[in-house]
Amino acid sequence: MREKRSAIVVNFLVRGILGIALIFFINEFLDSRDIDLNVGMNPLTFVTSGALGTPGVALLYGIEFYQGM
């Protein structure tokens, strides 16, 4: 049981770190194209990307796009 819990925590942390890195690189790409669509890197985005993974990052950009309309 303890091994399963630690595997879940490690999986969450890895997805969160990769999600923040993905947000960073997408923000840089969009900035180089002069597209004003940036998702902030903060604890809430870390938790979202950690819990949902790549679809969570896409969700954050979708929310940001919707707010900019």
Side-chain angles (χ1 to χ4, degrees), residues 1-68:
M1 183 66 150
R2 188 172 196 182
E3 294 172 5
K4 184 177 181 180
R5 187 174 304 157
S6 64
I8 291 171
V9 170
V10 168
N11 188 10
F12 174 81
L13 291 174
V14 168
R15 283 191 295 178
I17 291 168
L18 291 176
I20 291 294
L22 184 61
I23 289 170
F24 174 77
F25 288 117
I26 292 173
N27 282 345
E28 290 295 317
F29 175 76
L30 293 175
D31 191 37
S32 72
R33 304 281 183 185
D34 292 329
I35 299 172
D36 190 28
L37 184 68
N38 291 323
V39 172
M41 292 182 284
N42 55 47
L44 183 60
T45 58
F46 181 82
V47 169
T48 302
S49 65
L52 300 175
T54 306
V57 173
L59 175 68
L60 291 170
Y61 278 98
I63 291 170
E64 187 68 27
F65 178 75
Y66 182 74
Q67 286 180 346

